[in-house]
Amino acid sequence: MDASDASTEIRVAVLGEWVPSPLADLLALQRAEEPETATALIGCSATAQAQELPHDNFDLALSTAAWEWPGWVCEPLWHDTLAVAVAKRSHLLSYREVPRQELLKQPVICAQSTADEPWRAVAHGLVEDAPQGHVQTVSTFDMAMTLVSAGYGIAVAPAARLTCYLRRGIAARWPAPTAARCRVECPWATGASCACPPGAASRPRAG
């Protein structure tokens, strides 16, 4: 950031219900390196944002989806892998990698709140052959994890998203075979008024 930008506020929008854990490390680094620059987090509905342009509401947007806004660029921040969430007393814990045929025997719990996130389509492909009636949809991801913890079924989600639930009766296993592991990206959008080299991230410069 240029010295002329030192008094500005960085407005970071988080689109959707999930706040990724690496964001805390990023904000801490910002405070340590530039304590004079304030950072504001803005929560936004991903569904609503898909229907309108960002205008001047924020400088950066963090999302699990790649947005195509005119005049903005989208860069992946990190990659993640889909994992299977199971209860800590589940018999599936005997597997380091859960065979697909075992996944298809389990009730699958999905969250309506993540229906528009790109990884959901990939996750659905792992369990799309499950018997009719084996898939249950609840309103939020938090509710889905509560049911998984109680032993009502399994869920498939990015491994990083499951991390905060590992102390709440949830365990994570990889789907097998290894080829079935699916990498998902966590992209962000930045204003394109500032050149952004490949793999780097920047925000619009003031003035």
Side-chain angles (χ1 to χ4, degrees):
M1 183 183 298
D2 289 345
S4 60
D5 295 332
S7 61
T8 63
E9 178 182 68
I10 303 175
R11 299 164 300 172
V12 181
V14 180
L15 307 184
E17 68 166 8
W18 182 52
V19 180
S21 55
L23 180 57
D25 296 331
L26 184 62
L27 294 177
L29 182 62
Q30 165 68 24
R31 287 191 65 190
E33 294 186 347
E34 299 182 357
E36 70 281 2
T37 303
T39 302
L41 283 183
I42 304 171
C44 299
S45 166
T47 302
Q49 197 60 61
Q51 301 172 357
E52 59 184 50
L53 296 177
H55 302 296
D56 296 325
N57 298 332
F58 45 78
D59 303 302
L60 306 174
L62 185 66
S63 171
T64 55
W67 298 91
E68 296 182 358
W69 294 323
W72 289 61
V73 294
C74 188
E75 294 282 348
L77 280 181
W78 59 82
H79 305 284
D80 200 358
T81 303
L82 290 180
V84 182
V86 302
K88 284 194 172 178
R89 54 187 172 276
S90 171
H91 70 282
L92 295 178
L93 292 181
S94 62
Y95 298 101
R96 180 177 175 82
E97 296 183 335
V98 184
R100 189 163 183 266
Q101 61 267 27
E102 287 296 325
L103 292 179
L104 298 179
K105 296 177 184 178
Q106 312 305 316
V108 179
I109 303 172
C110 303
Q112 182 60 40
S113 60
T114 64
D116 295 329
E117 297 188 16
W119 60 266
R120 275 288 299 273
V122 184
H124 176 72
L126 295 178
V127 294
E128 62 182 345
D129 295 329
Q132 187 174 7
H134 267 222
V135 179
Q136 177 185 0
T137 300
V138 296
S139 59
T140 67
F141 191 78
D142 216 28
M143 187 177 295
M145 291 298 99
T146 298
L147 292 175
V148 170
S149 177
Y152 282 85
I154 64 171
V156 180
R161 185 168 294 201
L162 299 179
T163 301
C164 63
Y165 295 95
L166 298 182
R167 296 182 180 179
R168 297 170 53 181
I170 295 288
R173 287 292 185 268
W174 302 118
T178 303
R181 296 187 189 177
C182 305
R183 191 178 74 171
V184 293
E185 294 185 350
C186 185
W188 72 345
T190 69
S193 59
C194 177
C196 185
S202 61
R203 72 181 187 92
R205 297 184 185 273

